[in-house]
Amino acid sequence: MPRFLSLVRIEENTIDMEEAGPEFGARMGALLEEITKAGVMLDTAGLLPTDQATRITWQDGKLSYTDGPFTETKEVVGGYALMQCKDKAEALEWGRRFLEVHPAQWTVGLELRQLDEG
């Protein structure tokens, strides 16, 4: 079965976990438990804020390091999930359900990519 990497994209400075309320954590926990019991979820985690990150760039034969936060970036990867699904349609369905758990006033995106295992 193919594996898919889901990259959760957020506008880091606009997400307020306080406004989500305790019910958000309960809904997310229930969905993650369902995905895991279905045998789909291989690994998942949220990421620490970009003010604790470093970008490493290779350009013109040289490395450069940039410590966060990355103010020029509007959208960042806030988490990921590695899933094994029967096909892309199933992976998209889990992605839809994941996004719908979030508060309506948040802007959260999801990039779904199949792993190249060939």
Side-chain angles (χ1 to χ4, degrees):
M1 284 202 308
R3 294 186 300 166
F4 295 87
L5 180 64
S6 172
L7 300 169
V8 181
R9 298 186 171 274
I10 62 170
E11 292 182 21
E12 186 174 53
N13 298 325
T14 66
I15 300 291
D16 180 3
M17 291 304 293
E18 297 287 322
E19 75 180 8
E23 64 279 352
F24 170 66
R27 287 191 318 267
M28 184 62 72
L31 178 62
L32 292 177
E33 183 177 335
E34 183 181 350
I35 295 172
T36 301
K37 284 183 177 178
V40 170
M41 185 66 72
L42 301 176
D43 190 27
T44 188
L47 301 176
L48 293 175
T50 60
D51 64 1
Q52 299 178 49
T54 302
R55 287 185 178 160
I56 306 171
T57 304
W58 174 257
Q59 184 177 6
D60 298 325
K62 296 178 186 173
L63 288 173
S64 64
Y65 299 83
T66 306
D67 290 330
F70 311 115
T71 55
E72 74 282 358
T73 303
K74 181 178 178 184
E75 193 177 72
V76 298
V77 176
Y80 73 93
L82 182 60
M83 302 179 293
Q84 188 164 25
C85 301
K86 63 182 176 190
D87 54 25
K88 187 175 182 178
E90 181 185 17
L92 287 169
E93 175 62 17
W94 285 116
R96 178 193 65 78
R97 292 185 59 197
F98 171 81
L99 290 175
E100 289 178 344
V101 166
H102 292 79
Q105 66 272 24
W106 288 9
T107 299
V108 182
L110 192 137
E111 180 179 332
L112 184 69
R113 310 264 311 260
Q114 185 171 342
L115 274 64
D116 182 359
E117 302 186 84

